[in-house]
Amino acid sequence: MADEALKMFCYQCSQAAKGTGCTVRGVCGKEPTIARLQDNLLYAIKGICAYLYHARELGVSDSEIDAFLESGFFSTLTNVNFDSNRFLEFGLKAGQMNIKAMSVLKQIHIKTYGELIPTKVETGTKKGKGILVTGHSLKALEELLKQTEGTGINVYTHSEMLPAHGYPNLKKYLHLAGNLGKAWYDQKQLFAKFPGAILGTSNCVLLPTDEYRNRMFTMGVTGLPGVKHIQGFDFKPLIEIAQSLPDLEDKPGDVVLTTGYSKSVVLSLAGKIAGLVMSGKIKRFFVVGGCDTPGKKGEYYRRFVELLPKDTVVITLACGKYRINDLDLGEIDGIPRLIDVGQCNDTIVAIEIAQALSEAFHMPINDLPLTLVLTWMEQKAVAILWSLLSLGLKKMYVGPILPAWINEDILKVLVDKFDLRLISEPEKDLAEIMKR
């Protein structure tokens, strides 16, 4: 059906609508705000399901979250619910369930692979055959490492896989050689230049170019046109392709990254951090990261961090960290000023650190010298945003643009209730924050 024809229908009910894009009340009687809040809920549910999927790969599930998913999906059916306040409640409930889903996944990751420890990660290549792994499935990475051990093939991570290097039971594989590339959207350029085999394990894979299509594989729910798909965890076809391809060069990277700051590692420093705050050596904490998006507007985040005073500490996570994780911010009496706690699902670590700081300083989270500056893209980030809102966090900065499901009515609620803010200019925002 042509785009113009699609615009003649309200996708919520497949009935002819007055106008285009559900901007007015259609036959079903739903207001545009209801439709947008339903979009929001469906995005949040997708994010929750992504984390649950990887937890289930490792043998765990949660009946309470499953029950919420049923009610959440059901609530979006045509003519089931016309109450915008109820959908705001559903959004906050989705946030709570996402916190639980992230916690379930984190616990099984720790149980299976050990507690994360700070780890230096090379960003270049070593002489020999290579396989590059992108996505979120640590289970897939572990199985691949087992099957390639002793074959002479080096395994490299890309983007979302960077935290794998901090898990003891994964880093023990000496052929887990390093991390290549940055955020998810550099795939087409990076994969075209990488002469080895490539494995996509979950979401954030892009349509391949002809330059690497025949040496890329997908698995699980992931699929790409013209790309070979692996059922289960038998990587023999991938390994055979890797062995048939040219060797990679011995080419060190320009930077060495540090990842693997777990909750326990950071909390082991809590006493020292508290002392540095009390003495004035640490004035403020920032969480800078999120689901990064390509484009010039994303340069805001690097500039923002570059402007930060030397008495501040930055916690970073998810693909947004690639905007800043090559910066050398130094230390404050042995406390690193840049702390990478992982990927989007590791937001639970940042939340737990904030809660621990709240307890240590005997004050609500919103009263802490803590500011969140989030880079936004409309996917699993929806679930994480609502997780933060469900905790009552206020004065968060979001950019480079507001979520697409926010209209004026929804924005008013989020601004009035949570003081949600859109980024402007790094200098202006930082000056405003530091006044508090």
Side-chain angles (χ1 to χ4, degrees):
M1 187 181 293
D3 289 345
E4 287 304 313
L6 281 172
K7 290 180 181 179
M8 297 298 294
F9 293 87
C10 170
Y11 79 96
Q12 293 290 340
C13 59
S14 298
Q15 296 289 334
K18 302 174 184 177
T20 61
C22 257
T23 56
V24 297
R25 190 192 302 264
V27 171
C28 67
K30 290 189 177 180
E31 296 284 1
T33 295
I34 296 292
R36 293 198 179 200
L37 287 172
Q38 287 183 337
D39 287 345
N40 157 68
L41 181 58
L42 290 171
Y43 272 124
I45 287 174
K46 290 177 182 180
I48 295 169
C49 288
Y51 302 139
L52 289 181
Y53 177 87
H54 293 301
R56 193 178 292 275
E57 279 186 320
L58 295 169
V60 296
S61 59
D62 187 277
S63 58
E64 182 185 15
I65 301 174
D66 291 343
F68 168 75
L69 296 177
E70 293 171 5
S71 61
F73 274 124
F74 186 26
S75 72
T76 65
L77 289 181
T78 305
N79 298 342
V80 169
N81 197 321
F82 292 83
D83 187 345
S84 60
N85 289 325
R86 284 292 310 282
F87 277 109
L88 286 170
E89 292 172 8
F90 264 116
L92 293 171
K93 184 66 173 178
Q96 295 167 10
M97 289 298 100
N98 187 57
I99 290 174
K100 188 171 187 182
M102 291 189 295
S103 180
V104 167
L105 181 57
K106 175 53 66 178
Q107 289 170 22
I108 191 60
H109 276 169
I110 292 172
K111 181 179 179 180
T112 307
Y113 306 116
E115 184 78 52
L116 282 159
I117 56 176
T119 302
K120 300 289 185 182
V121 184
E122 298 290 338
T123 58
T125 58
K126 298 179 179 180
K127 179 69 175 177
K129 309 297 184 182
I131 296 176
L132 182 59
V133 184
T134 190
H136 293 266
S137 177
L138 295 184
K139 170 70 172 176
L141 179 62
E142 178 192 31
E143 293 300 324
L144 179 62
L145 288 168
K146 288 178 182 178
Q147 294 172 41
T148 52
E149 196 167 23
T151 64
I153 297 174
N154 289 315
V155 176
Y156 301 87
T157 59
H158 169 249
S159 196
E160 298 95 338
M161 276 291 178
L162 175 61
H165 294 269
Y167 287 100
N169 291 343
L170 294 176
K171 64 182 294 184
K172 70 180 182 181
Y173 293 96
L174 300 182
H175 61 302
L176 181 59
N179 187 82
L180 305 180
K182 295 189 175 184
W184 59 272
Y185 52 80
D186 72 4
Q187 288 176 38
K188 293 189 177 184
Q189 292 75 30
L190 175 68
F191 293 1
K193 294 178 182 177
F194 179 77
I198 303 161
L199 176 65
T201 69
S202 61
N203 64 305
C204 296
V205 289
L206 299 178
L207 292 173
T209 67
D210 291 339
E211 294 169 281
Y212 62 87
R213 189 191 310 272
N214 63 351
R215 50 190 172 84
M216 184 171 184
F217 292 76
T218 59
M219 62 167 296
V221 299
T222 307
L224 293 168
V227 170
K228 293 175 285 293
H229 188 78
I230 292 172
Q231 299 294 339
F233 296 95
D234 181 1
F235 296 117
K236 184 178 178 181
L238 171 70
I239 294 169
E240 289 176 347
I241 288 291
Q243 290 173 326
S244 72
L245 293 168
D247 284 1
L248 278 65
E249 298 179 14
D250 188 6
K251 187 177 181 181
D254 295 329
V255 297
V256 175
L257 304 177
T258 301
T259 190
Y261 284 95
S262 65
K263 171 189 173 185
S264 62
V265 169
V266 176
L267 294 191
S268 70
L269 302 170
K272 186 173 185 178
I273 291 172
L276 291 172
V277 172
M278 297 300 292
S279 68
K281 290 187 176 182
I282 295 179
K283 294 288 180 60
R284 180 167 286 274
F285 299 88
F286 289 87
V287 175
V288 183
C291 189
D292 195 18
T293 180
K296 193 169 180 62
K297 290 182 179 180
E299 295 173 4
Y300 169 100
Y301 298 92
R302 187 178 184 88
R303 178 60 180 157
F304 182 90
V305 172
E306 289 174 333
L307 290 170
L308 291 178
K310 295 187 183 299
D311 55 7
T312 59
V313 172
V314 179
I315 297 170
T316 190
L317 71 164
C319 290
K321 67 171 172 277
Y322 285 107
R323 293 279 181 180
I324 61 174
N325 66 348
D326 62 329
L327 293 173
D328 183 4
L329 300 186
E331 299 180 343
I332 302 175
D333 286 3
I335 302 298
R337 288 193 57 225
L338 183 61
I339 299 175
D340 174 9
V341 299
Q343 244 342 93
C344 57
N345 54 284
D346 296 307
T347 301
I348 187 64
V349 177
I351 289 172
E352 290 171 343
I353 290 172
Q355 291 172 331
L357 289 173
S358 175
E359 293 174 7
F361 291 104
H362 305 290
M363 62 177 62
I365 290 180
N366 284 315
D367 293 339
L368 289 171
L370 171 68
T371 302
L372 279 68
V373 183
L374 307 177
T375 175
W376 175 267
M377 186 166 179
E378 203 99 39
Q379 286 198 25
K380 289 180 291 186
V382 179
I384 291 173
L385 178 62
W386 282 96
S387 291
L388 300 173
L389 294 174
S390 75
L391 293 170
L393 287 172
K394 296 184 177 181
K395 294 182 172 65
M396 293 187 292
Y397 288 77
V398 178
I401 59 174
L402 282 173
W405 44 265
I406 290 182
N407 63 9
E408 290 185 8
D409 291 336
I410 299 171
L411 180 60
K412 185 177 188 308
V413 172
L414 295 179
V415 170
D416 291 348
K417 188 175 178 68
F418 302 102
D419 198 5
L420 190 69
R421 304 177 179 201
L422 181 64
I423 62 169
S424 58
E425 298 296 328
E427 295 82 358
K428 178 182 177 182
D429 291 342
L430 182 57
E432 180 181 89
I433 292 166
M434 299 306 291
K435 287 179 182 178
R436 299 176 196 160

